[in-house]
Amino acid sequence: MSNPASFRDQTNWGDGYELGIEVGSTGDAELQTLLSALWSAAGVRGCFGQSDLEPDEQHEVPGTVASLTEYGHLLGQVRLPTGQMVVCGCAAVRGGDESSDWLDFYVPTGALDKAGIVYWDGQPFFRSAVIDDWLAGIAMETFKQAPFSLGVVGWCRGRLNADPLWPIES
């Protein structure tokens, strides 16, 4: 059986189940505060820039906006509520002058498949109560350290596409 925590296994990557957070500003300081709080709240292991090398084959990168800008994504490993370790990532969508920034934390569906998480029942949009609740909990913990405007959970195509995301209810 393949390892859902393996970086090198490219079938772990792809579409993602994500927590999208609207930062509410376009400042690096606000985005950094949110990134640090999110990484901590999720309990992410490591912070890396490359998905084609295992964590022990590459140097960790700082969990900073500068690293996020340089690599496009920050990657790590996270333990699901089921106890399974999987790959995960984070990307920023910068709004510029027209809108606020977003920070997207995701677990790729390939890794969820290998971890045995059921998230699709043939309906048009993916749903998993286990992952929804877990991501909502991460959002609530993140909010305690770094308040934000909006958090949504759901499936996204290509990890960055704005396909259906669902509001987090408090």
Side-chain angles (χ1 to χ4, degrees), residues 19 21 33-43 133-148 168 170:
L19 163 61
I21 298 176
T33 299
L34 186 63
L35 173 61
S36 297
L38 175 65
W39 218 248
S40 174
D133 290 349
W134 175 65
L135 289 172
I138 291 170
M140 288 186 263
E141 282 302 309
T142 301
F143 187 84
K144 290 177 185 176
Q145 297 175 45
F148 51 84
I168 295 171
S170 49

Side-chain angles (χ1 to χ4, degrees), residues 84-151:
Q84 187 77 9
M85 187 68 74
V86 296
V87 295
C88 65
C90 191
V93 178
R94 305 303 300 258
D97 294 335
E98 297 174 19
S99 64
S100 65
D101 291 344
W102 284 78
L103 191 62
D104 294 326
F105 174 75
Y106 58 87
V107 176
T109 54
L112 291 175
D113 289 338
K114 291 177 187 161
I117 300 294
V118 176
Y119 56 86
W120 189 61
D121 62 3
Q123 300 300 315
F125 306 113
F126 296 170
R127 302 289 347 134
S128 166
V130 170
I131 301 301
D132 285 354
D133 290 349
W134 175 65
L135 289 172
I138 291 170
M140 288 186 263
E141 282 302 309
T142 301
F143 187 84
K144 290 177 185 176
Q145 297 175 45
F148 51 84
S149 301
L150 175 68

